[in-house]
Amino acid sequence: MSAHATQNNIIDPNIQLNLNYPDIVVQGKQFVLSSVVKATADQVSNITVTITCPELDIQQNSFHLDKLAKDSTLGNDFNTTVKSSVPDGNFVANVEIDYFIKGFFDAQPVKHTITQTTQFLAASEPSLSLNLQTPSDVFAGEPFSIKGTIVNQGSDAHDVELSAYSSELQISGKKSLAVTDLNAGRSADFEFVVQSQKNLDPTHATIHVNGTYLDDDGKIHSIDNSFSVFARQRGLLEIGDANGIWVGQFFIAPVVGIGTIVSSVIGFMIFLWHYRNKKKKRRAKKS
């Protein structure tokens, strides 16, 4: 899952302000902009935090503290609504912190002001994308994995449905997914474990992962991604993974033949036998 909040820190030598709010805000909907003030020096007083933004309606856009001891914190929530007229995209709010601090040589507390902007992302509809991790080569009739992540970079999505299919291969196994809700800024991981038919000639195929989802108004949206795969028969004496590489017209797969394994074992045993004989001869010469 991705983090569901943006964090923004405003710091100077005497005071610190931490702001938290959703990754994505939606036009016409309310959200909470939470803030925490911390004094990092002595004699900090008359602290006022003010947030202004033409795209936001904030019920109470400022709060005041008479005094805050060093290393103490105090929080405040700004109940905020994004205006319906705000277009999709990024916008900023101005954050101002006013406070007074009395230094060792100051006759009276001195006023300080910090001004900074913080950025928001508005989205009126969900926006889902698919990131896939897939093999490029598989054995016919044997299971292989399609892993992926669905990312929502828009508003809340509902009734998300995904499935995998190919017009060149007959895919069977776990090849569908249903997610009831995927909220704004969230992601979900999935894995399909599928296989093609057993009887096929070496085939280059395209596998599609696609589906649909709904927005808050019930409108249907589509999502799609695809990848290429080469399916072939496993050799009689091959073991291992079919996911190899092509060099020119030759396919190099990270599979190992049974004969290669047997030959390697026999070769190692012969080496070990010669090594032990050499050690025996050395011992005989020394004695």
Side-chain angles (χ1 to χ4, degrees):
M1 294 286 184
S2 66
H4 191 48
T6 297
Q7 188 175 78
N8 192 8
N9 294 319
I10 302 173
I11 301 172
D12 87 342
N14 306 312
I15 204 165
Q16 176 178 316
L17 177 67
N18 176 263
L19 297 174
N20 283 275
Y21 47 88
D23 290 339
I24 298 166
V25 295
V26 181
Q27 293 89 334
K29 292 192 175 181
Q30 188 180 83
F31 69 94
V32 174
L33 195 167
S34 64
S35 65
V36 177
V37 178
K38 179 179 180 179
T40 55
D42 292 318
Q43 302 293 325
V44 178
S45 61
N46 290 320
I47 304 164
T48 302
V49 177
T50 305
I51 299 177
T52 55
C53 177
E55 288 82 4
L56 299 176
D57 283 327
I58 306 174
Q59 290 182 12
Q60 182 67 42
N61 75 325
S62 68
F63 75 96
H64 178 81
L65 302 172
D66 290 332
K67 186 178 291 187
L68 195 61
K70 183 181 179 181
D71 295 328
S72 296
T73 60
L74 190 67
N76 178 76
D77 288 342
F78 295 94
N79 293 316
T80 307
T81 302
V82 185
K83 293 181 179 179
S84 299
S85 59
V86 174
D88 286 356
N90 293 307
F91 64 92
V92 298
N94 292 313
V95 182
E96 183 175 291
I97 309 170
D98 296 309
Y99 68 91
F100 288 78
I101 184 168
K102 187 176 183 299
F104 186 77
F105 297 104
D106 296 327
Q108 298 292 332
V110 178
K111 183 178 180 180
H112 293 254
T113 299
I114 310 167
T115 302
Q116 189 169 310
T117 60
T118 189
Q119 184 170 273
F120 297 86
L121 173 60
S124 57
E125 294 184 341
S127 177
L128 270 58
S129 61
L130 279 176
N131 301 319
L132 299 177
Q133 302 173 37
T134 62
S136 57
D137 302 275
V138 299
F139 286 129
E142 297 188 13
F144 62 93
S145 175
I146 304 171
K147 295 182 180 180
T149 302
I150 317 170
V151 182
N152 186 0
Q153 297 174 308
S155 60
D156 295 347
H158 313 284
D159 297 332
V160 182
E161 296 183 355
L162 289 181
S163 61
Y165 83 95
S166 173
S167 57
E168 295 92 358
L169 298 177
Q170 297 172 19
I171 298 176
S172 60
K174 180 188 175 184
K175 57 177 183 176
S176 62
L177 170 77
V179 178
T180 303
D181 295 298
L182 189 62
N183 293 335
R186 295 289 180 125
S187 64
D189 297 327
F190 67 91
E191 181 177 11
F192 297 152
V193 180
V194 299
Q195 64 187 50
S196 67
Q197 67 269 38
K198 292 182 180 180
N199 299 317
L200 56 77
D201 294 328
T203 302
H204 289 278
T206 300
I207 297 178
H208 300 270
V209 179
N210 62 14
T212 60
Y213 57 94
L214 305 180
D215 58 25
D216 287 336
D217 296 326
K219 180 182 176 182
I220 299 176
H221 302 262
S222 61
I223 184 172
D224 178 65
N225 203 345
S226 62
F227 64 97
S228 297
V229 69
F230 177 69
R232 69 179 182 90
Q233 297 291 336
R234 180 189 288 275
L236 182 62
L237 298 179
E238 289 181 324
I239 62 172
D241 189 357
N243 197 17
I245 60 172
W246 282 92
V247 179
Q249 295 182 343
F250 298 95
F251 178 73
I252 302 175
V255 295
V256 181
I258 298 296
T260 303
I261 296 174
V262 172
S263 299
S264 299
V265 172
I266 293 173
F268 177 74
M269 292 177 69
I270 293 172
F271 166 78
L272 191 61
W273 181 78
H274 280 295
Y275 178 75
R276 287 180 176 175
N277 278 345
K278 286 182 181 180
K279 289 187 70 176
K280 288 180 181 179
K281 289 179 181 178
R282 287 175 185 170
R283 289 175 184 169
K285 287 180 180 180
K286 289 181 180 179
S287 59

